[in-house]
Amino acid sequence: MERTFVMFKPDCLERGLLGRILSRFEEKGLRLVAMKMLRVTPSLARQHYAEHASKPFYPSLEEFITASPVVATVLEGPEVIRVVREMLGATSGLKALAGTIRGDYSSSRQMNLVHASDSPESATREIDIYFLPAELLAWDPSLACWFQAPSEV
Ligand code: CMP
């Protein structure tokens, strides 16, 4: 079992797509272990997107990500970091394949609806930025036994 940080960005909430996109992760069988709605501040944006802070698109990214509330979540499942990235598709909605979340709902490089960690190191770092350890709830949904065989988890 692995955990990843997934953030539903301002465009997702403004467009009323949160429920629809969250459903795709639930239907896949990924387990929600933490969830909160918040407003990203400029300093939180710089911390989260530290690796992009010197890039030309950063000022626009910061303006976008602080413009409206976001919903931060932690999802759990086997190989969940890779699985979620593949469900999202390429960074740009213009390049993402049809059938992926960005391919189906985004036509933008910046307004790509959802952020997800790209490695185990990023997942640990990003989960720590947005959540206290006590906010992560380990639980066993009663239907979990119908999503994977015991030998797979
Ligand atoms: P995300 O997966 O959250 O990681 C960094 C974010 O920066 C990315 O999604 C986009 O929202 C944004 N981004 C990446 N590349 C560009 C770009 N070339 N121009 C504008 N925004 C970008």
PDB file of all heavy atoms in Angstrom, residues 45 49 52-53 55-67 108-111:
ATOM      1  N   ALA A  45       2.035  28.318  -1.434  1.00  0.00           N
ATOM      2  CA  ALA A  45       2.274  27.999  -2.851  1.00  0.00           C
ATOM      3  C   ALA A  45       3.780  27.882  -3.122  1.00  0.00           C
ATOM      4  O   ALA A  45       4.228  26.968  -3.823  1.00  0.00           O
ATOM      5  CB  ALA A  45       1.654  29.078  -3.742  1.00  0.00           C
ATOM      6  N   TYR A  49       5.289  24.452  -4.421  1.00  0.00           N
ATOM      7  CA  TYR A  49       5.847  24.458  -5.779  1.00  0.00           C
ATOM      8  C   TYR A  49       7.284  24.995  -5.800  1.00  0.00           C
ATOM      9  O   TYR A  49       7.676  25.663  -6.757  1.00  0.00           O
ATOM     10  CB  TYR A  49       4.946  25.278  -6.701  1.00  0.00           C
ATOM     11  CG  TYR A  49       3.657  24.571  -7.083  1.00  0.00           C
ATOM     12  CD1 TYR A  49       2.418  25.139  -6.828  1.00  0.00           C
ATOM     13  CD2 TYR A  49       3.679  23.331  -7.727  1.00  0.00           C
ATOM     14  CE1 TYR A  49       1.231  24.495  -7.193  1.00  0.00           C
ATOM     15  CE2 TYR A  49       2.505  22.679  -8.083  1.00  0.00           C
ATOM     16  CZ  TYR A  49       1.290  23.271  -7.818  1.00  0.00           C
ATOM     17  OH  TYR A  49       0.129  22.620  -8.192  1.00  0.00           O
ATOM     18  N   HIS A  52       9.387  24.880  -8.866  1.00  0.00           N
ATOM     19  CA  HIS A  52       8.983  25.700 -10.021  1.00  0.00           C
ATOM     20  C   HIS A  52       9.141  27.199  -9.758  1.00  0.00           C
ATOM     21  O   HIS A  52       8.882  28.004 -10.654  1.00  0.00           O
ATOM     22  CB  HIS A  52       7.515  25.433 -10.369  1.00  0.00           C
ATOM     23  CG  HIS A  52       7.235  24.009 -10.749  1.00  0.00           C
ATOM     24  ND1 HIS A  52       7.882  23.380 -11.783  1.00  0.00           N
ATOM     25  CD2 HIS A  52       6.382  23.097 -10.221  1.00  0.00           C
ATOM     26  CE1 HIS A  52       7.436  22.133 -11.883  1.00  0.00           C
ATOM     27  NE2 HIS A  52       6.540  21.930 -10.945  1.00  0.00           N
ATOM     28  N   ALA A  53       9.589  27.569  -8.542  1.00  0.00           N
ATOM     29  CA  ALA A  53       9.563  28.987  -8.139  1.00  0.00           C
ATOM     30  C   ALA A  53      10.382  29.888  -9.053  1.00  0.00           C
ATOM     31  O   ALA A  53      10.078  31.077  -9.177  1.00  0.00           O
ATOM     32  CB  ALA A  53      10.014  29.121  -6.693  1.00  0.00           C
ATOM     33  N   LYS A  55      10.788  29.377 -12.306  1.00  0.00           N
ATOM     34  CA  LYS A  55      10.382  29.220 -13.708  1.00  0.00           C
ATOM     35  C   LYS A  55       9.530  30.418 -14.162  1.00  0.00           C
ATOM     36  O   LYS A  55       8.849  31.040 -13.349  1.00  0.00           O
ATOM     37  CB  LYS A  55       9.614  27.914 -13.899  1.00  0.00           C
ATOM     38  CG  LYS A  55      10.498  26.712 -13.590  1.00  0.00           C
ATOM     39  CD  LYS A  55       9.890  25.416 -14.032  1.00  0.00           C
ATOM     40  CE  LYS A  55      10.846  24.271 -13.722  1.00  0.00           C
ATOM     41  NZ  LYS A  55      10.179  22.999 -13.498  1.00  0.00           N
ATOM     42  N   PRO A  56       9.577  30.718 -15.457  1.00  0.00           N
ATOM     43  CA  PRO A  56       8.836  31.895 -15.949  1.00  0.00           C
ATOM     44  C   PRO A  56       7.342  31.825 -15.663  1.00  0.00           C
ATOM     45  O   PRO A  56       6.692  32.852 -15.469  1.00  0.00           O
ATOM     46  CB  PRO A  56       9.093  31.867 -17.462  1.00  0.00           C
ATOM     47  CG  PRO A  56      10.252  30.954 -17.668  1.00  0.00           C
ATOM     48  CD  PRO A  56      10.336  30.037 -16.491  1.00  0.00           C
ATOM     49  N   PHE A  57       6.776  30.616 -15.612  1.00  0.00           N
ATOM     50  CA  PHE A  57       5.328  30.522 -15.408  1.00  0.00           C
ATOM     51  C   PHE A  57       4.930  30.611 -13.941  1.00  0.00           C
ATOM     52  O   PHE A  57       3.746  30.632 -13.612  1.00  0.00           O
ATOM     53  CB  PHE A  57       4.765  29.235 -16.036  1.00  0.00           C
ATOM     54  CG  PHE A  57       5.259  27.943 -15.442  1.00  0.00           C
ATOM     55  CD1 PHE A  57       4.745  27.453 -14.253  1.00  0.00           C
ATOM     56  CD2 PHE A  57       6.238  27.191 -16.086  1.00  0.00           C
ATOM     57  CE1 PHE A  57       5.177  26.248 -13.712  1.00  0.00           C
ATOM     58  CE2 PHE A  57       6.685  25.992 -15.554  1.00  0.00           C
ATOM     59  CZ  PHE A  57       6.153  25.520 -14.362  1.00  0.00           C
ATOM     60  N   TYR A  58       5.935  30.693 -13.007  1.00  0.00           N
ATOM     61  CA  TYR A  58       5.575  30.619 -11.593  1.00  0.00           C
ATOM     62  C   TYR A  58       4.628  31.734 -11.123  1.00  0.00           C
ATOM     63  O   TYR A  58       3.642  31.446 -10.418  1.00  0.00           O
ATOM     64  CB  TYR A  58       6.811  30.554 -10.670  1.00  0.00           C
ATOM     65  CG  TYR A  58       6.350  30.413  -9.258  1.00  0.00           C
ATOM     66  CD1 TYR A  58       5.885  29.188  -8.788  1.00  0.00           C
ATOM     67  CD2 TYR A  58       6.226  31.533  -8.427  1.00  0.00           C
ATOM     68  CE1 TYR A  58       5.349  29.070  -7.523  1.00  0.00           C
ATOM     69  CE2 TYR A  58       5.687  31.428  -7.163  1.00  0.00           C
ATOM     70  CZ  TYR A  58       5.260  30.187  -6.715  1.00  0.00           C
ATOM     71  OH  TYR A  58       4.708  30.076  -5.472  1.00  0.00           O
ATOM     72  N   PRO A  59       4.872  33.020 -11.482  1.00  0.00           N
ATOM     73  CA  PRO A  59       3.943  34.063 -10.998  1.00  0.00           C
ATOM     74  C   PRO A  59       2.491  33.777 -11.392  1.00  0.00           C
ATOM     75  O   PRO A  59       1.565  33.969 -10.586  1.00  0.00           O
ATOM     76  CB  PRO A  59       4.477  35.336 -11.675  1.00  0.00           C
ATOM     77  CG  PRO A  59       5.933  35.050 -11.896  1.00  0.00           C
ATOM     78  CD  PRO A  59       6.016  33.572 -12.232  1.00  0.00           C
ATOM     79  N   SER A  60       2.304  33.313 -12.602  1.00  0.00           N
ATOM     80  CA  SER A  60       0.944  33.000 -13.055  1.00  0.00           C
ATOM     81  C   SER A  60       0.389  31.784 -12.296  1.00  0.00           C
ATOM     82  O   SER A  60      -0.794  31.749 -11.927  1.00  0.00           O
ATOM     83  CB  SER A  60       1.008  32.743 -14.562  1.00  0.00           C
ATOM     84  OG  SER A  60      -0.206  32.257 -15.009  1.00  0.00           O
ATOM     85  N   LEU A  61       1.255  30.774 -12.058  1.00  0.00           N
ATOM     86  CA  LEU A  61       0.832  29.596 -11.293  1.00  0.00           C
ATOM     87  C   LEU A  61       0.406  30.004  -9.884  1.00  0.00           C
ATOM     88  O   LEU A  61      -0.630  29.547  -9.390  1.00  0.00           O
ATOM     89  CB  LEU A  61       1.988  28.571 -11.246  1.00  0.00           C
ATOM     90  CG  LEU A  61       1.790  27.366 -10.330  1.00  0.00           C
ATOM     91  CD1 LEU A  61       0.582  26.534 -10.739  1.00  0.00           C
ATOM     92  CD2 LEU A  61       3.060  26.479 -10.326  1.00  0.00           C
ATOM     93  N   GLU A  62       1.188  30.900  -9.250  1.00  0.00           N
ATOM     94  CA  GLU A  62       0.850  31.322  -7.886  1.00  0.00           C
ATOM     95  C   GLU A  62      -0.482  32.088  -7.860  1.00  0.00           C
ATOM     96  O   GLU A  62      -1.315  31.872  -6.981  1.00  0.00           O
ATOM     97  CB  GLU A  62       1.980  32.181  -7.303  1.00  0.00           C
ATOM     98  CG  GLU A  62       1.695  32.554  -5.864  1.00  0.00           C
ATOM     99  CD  GLU A  62       2.795  33.399  -5.251  1.00  0.00           C
ATOM    100  OE1 GLU A  62       3.941  32.914  -5.137  1.00  0.00           O
ATOM    101  OE2 GLU A  62       2.509  34.556  -4.897  1.00  0.00           O
ATOM    102  N   GLU A  63      -0.660  32.947  -8.852  1.00  0.00           N
ATOM    103  CA  GLU A  63      -1.914  33.706  -8.911  1.00  0.00           C
ATOM    104  C   GLU A  63      -3.110  32.762  -9.065  1.00  0.00           C
ATOM    105  O   GLU A  63      -4.142  32.912  -8.417  1.00  0.00           O
ATOM    106  CB  GLU A  63      -1.857  34.671 -10.099  1.00  0.00           C
ATOM    107  CG  GLU A  63      -2.997  35.653 -10.130  1.00  0.00           C
ATOM    108  CD  GLU A  63      -2.903  36.603 -11.320  1.00  0.00           C
ATOM    109  OE1 GLU A  63      -1.811  36.715 -11.923  1.00  0.00           O
ATOM    110  OE2 GLU A  63      -3.921  37.199 -11.644  1.00  0.00           O
ATOM    111  N   PHE A  64      -2.937  31.752  -9.905  1.00  0.00           N
ATOM    112  CA  PHE A  64      -4.000  30.768 -10.154  1.00  0.00           C
ATOM    113  C   PHE A  64      -4.306  29.935  -8.910  1.00  0.00           C
ATOM    114  O   PHE A  64      -5.463  29.783  -8.502  1.00  0.00           O
ATOM    115  CB  PHE A  64      -3.550  29.883 -11.328  1.00  0.00           C
ATOM    116  CG  PHE A  64      -4.215  28.540 -11.431  1.00  0.00           C
ATOM    117  CD1 PHE A  64      -5.590  28.421 -11.595  1.00  0.00           C
ATOM    118  CD2 PHE A  64      -3.457  27.375 -11.390  1.00  0.00           C
ATOM    119  CE1 PHE A  64      -6.192  27.171 -11.709  1.00  0.00           C
ATOM    120  CE2 PHE A  64      -4.051  26.126 -11.498  1.00  0.00           C
ATOM    121  CZ  PHE A  64      -5.422  26.028 -11.651  1.00  0.00           C
ATOM    122  N   ILE A  65      -3.260  29.417  -8.276  1.00  0.00           N
ATOM    123  CA  ILE A  65      -3.467  28.439  -7.201  1.00  0.00           C
ATOM    124  C   ILE A  65      -3.993  29.100  -5.922  1.00  0.00           C
ATOM    125  O   ILE A  65      -4.547  28.429  -5.047  1.00  0.00           O
ATOM    126  CB  ILE A  65      -2.152  27.640  -6.953  1.00  0.00           C
ATOM    127  CG1 ILE A  65      -2.460  26.215  -6.507  1.00  0.00           C
ATOM    128  CG2 ILE A  65      -1.214  28.323  -5.974  1.00  0.00           C
ATOM    129  CD1 ILE A  65      -3.002  25.315  -7.545  1.00  0.00           C
ATOM    130  N   THR A  66      -3.806  30.447  -5.816  1.00  0.00           N
ATOM    131  CA  THR A  66      -4.297  31.175  -4.638  1.00  0.00           C
ATOM    132  C   THR A  66      -5.637  31.864  -4.900  1.00  0.00           C
ATOM    133  O   THR A  66      -6.171  32.540  -4.028  1.00  0.00           O
ATOM    134  CB  THR A  66      -3.265  32.249  -4.188  1.00  0.00           C
ATOM    135  OG1 THR A  66      -3.067  33.165  -5.262  1.00  0.00           O
ATOM    136  CG2 THR A  66      -1.939  31.628  -3.792  1.00  0.00           C
ATOM    137  N   ALA A  67      -6.187  31.710  -6.092  1.00  0.00           N
ATOM    138  CA  ALA A  67      -7.349  32.506  -6.511  1.00  0.00           C
ATOM    139  C   ALA A  67      -8.667  32.059  -5.891  1.00  0.00           C
ATOM    140  O   ALA A  67      -9.591  32.855  -5.737  1.00  0.00           O
ATOM    141  CB  ALA A  67      -7.466  32.483  -8.032  1.00  0.00           C
ATOM    142  N   SER A 108      -5.835  23.200 -20.904  1.00  0.00           N
ATOM    143  CA  SER A 108      -4.856  24.180 -20.433  1.00  0.00           C
ATOM    144  C   SER A 108      -3.651  23.477 -19.828  1.00  0.00           C
ATOM    145  O   SER A 108      -3.783  22.396 -19.260  1.00  0.00           O
ATOM    146  CB  SER A 108      -5.533  25.060 -19.377  1.00  0.00           C
ATOM    147  OG  SER A 108      -4.588  25.791 -18.641  1.00  0.00           O
ATOM    148  N   ARG A 109      -2.473  24.146 -19.941  1.00  0.00           N
ATOM    149  CA  ARG A 109      -1.279  23.647 -19.251  1.00  0.00           C
ATOM    150  C   ARG A 109      -1.354  23.974 -17.781  1.00  0.00           C
ATOM    151  O   ARG A 109      -0.943  23.203 -16.937  1.00  0.00           O
ATOM    152  CB  ARG A 109      -0.029  24.348 -19.811  1.00  0.00           C
ATOM    153  CG  ARG A 109       0.692  23.595 -20.880  1.00  0.00           C
ATOM    154  CD  ARG A 109       1.986  24.269 -21.236  1.00  0.00           C
ATOM    155  NE  ARG A 109       1.837  25.717 -21.362  1.00  0.00           N
ATOM    156  CZ  ARG A 109       2.654  26.511 -22.025  1.00  0.00           C
ATOM    157  NH1 ARG A 109       3.706  25.994 -22.637  1.00  0.00           N
ATOM    158  NH2 ARG A 109       2.461  27.798 -22.087  1.00  0.00           N
ATOM    159  N   GLN A 110      -1.837  25.186 -17.485  1.00  0.00           N
ATOM    160  CA  GLN A 110      -1.875  25.647 -16.098  1.00  0.00           C
ATOM    161  C   GLN A 110      -3.121  25.155 -15.373  1.00  0.00           C
ATOM    162  O   GLN A 110      -3.039  24.616 -14.274  1.00  0.00           O
ATOM    163  CB  GLN A 110      -1.827  27.166 -16.052  1.00  0.00           C
ATOM    164  CG  GLN A 110      -1.918  27.720 -14.643  1.00  0.00           C
ATOM    165  CD  GLN A 110      -1.685  29.212 -14.628  1.00  0.00           C
ATOM    166  OE1 GLN A 110      -0.571  29.681 -14.500  1.00  0.00           O
ATOM    167  NE2 GLN A 110      -2.757  29.954 -14.778  1.00  0.00           N
ATOM    168  N   MET A 111      -4.267  25.340 -15.982  1.00  0.00           N
ATOM    169  CA  MET A 111      -5.532  24.977 -15.343  1.00  0.00           C
ATOM    170  C   MET A 111      -5.827  23.515 -15.671  1.00  0.00           C
ATOM    171  O   MET A 111      -6.698  23.199 -16.480  1.00  0.00           O
ATOM    172  CB  MET A 111      -6.636  25.913 -15.803  1.00  0.00           C
ATOM    173  CG  MET A 111      -6.331  27.343 -15.398  1.00  0.00           C
ATOM    174  SD  MET A 111      -7.697  28.442 -15.658  1.00  0.00           S
ATOM    175  CE  MET A 111      -6.948  29.995 -15.200  1.00  0.00           C
TER     176      MET A 111
END
